[in-house]
Amino acid sequence: MSTQTLPEVDVRPEGTDHTGDDTPKMFHYVRKAKIAESAVMGTHVVALCGEVFPVTRSPKPGSPVCPECKKIYDNLPSGGGGE
């Protein structure tokens, strides 16, 4: 079984929904091209689930992922393209 990465969606989710210690409770899938721009410029990104937020943290292995983002990502066609 092989794994394919969609070029327009980063497999590394980004976080929102912070806990009291400023650690995100959940991470979201966002367009790869927008992650660096958001981190540097402070612009907001739109997750696959529609949530809008600035990128402030990177997930650690095993971090919880937004179930809606995961469902959408898993149903995207392989190969991708576009923006």
Side-chain angles (χ1 to χ4, degrees), residues 39-74:
V40 173
M41 304 296 287
T43 57
H44 285 68
V45 294
V46 179
L48 292 179
C49 68
E51 182 149 350
V52 179
F53 56 95
V55 174
T56 58
R57 302 244 182 220
S58 294
K60 305 266 188 282
S63 295
V65 176
C66 168
E68 186 64 23
C69 280
K70 176 131 179 62
K71 179 180 173 184
I72 294 167
Y73 180 80
D74 288 344

Side-chain angles (χ1 to χ4, degrees), residues 5-71:
T5 301
L6 298 174
E8 79 279 4
V9 179
D10 196 346
V11 296
R12 179 173 60 104
E14 295 301 331
T16 60
D17 301 326
H18 297 278
T19 59
D21 66 356
D22 201 34
T23 303
K25 291 190 293 187
M26 188 179 308
F27 289 86
H28 297 271
Y29 286 93
V30 299
R31 292 192 181 275
K32 185 185 283 189
K34 299 295 183 180
I35 294 171
E37 177 184 331
S38 177
V40 173
M41 304 296 287
T43 57
H44 285 68
V45 294
V46 179
L48 292 179
C49 68
E51 182 149 350
V52 179
F53 56 95
V55 174
T56 58
R57 302 244 182 220
S58 294
K60 305 266 188 282
S63 295
V65 176
C66 168
E68 186 64 23
C69 280
K70 176 131 179 62
K71 179 180 173 184

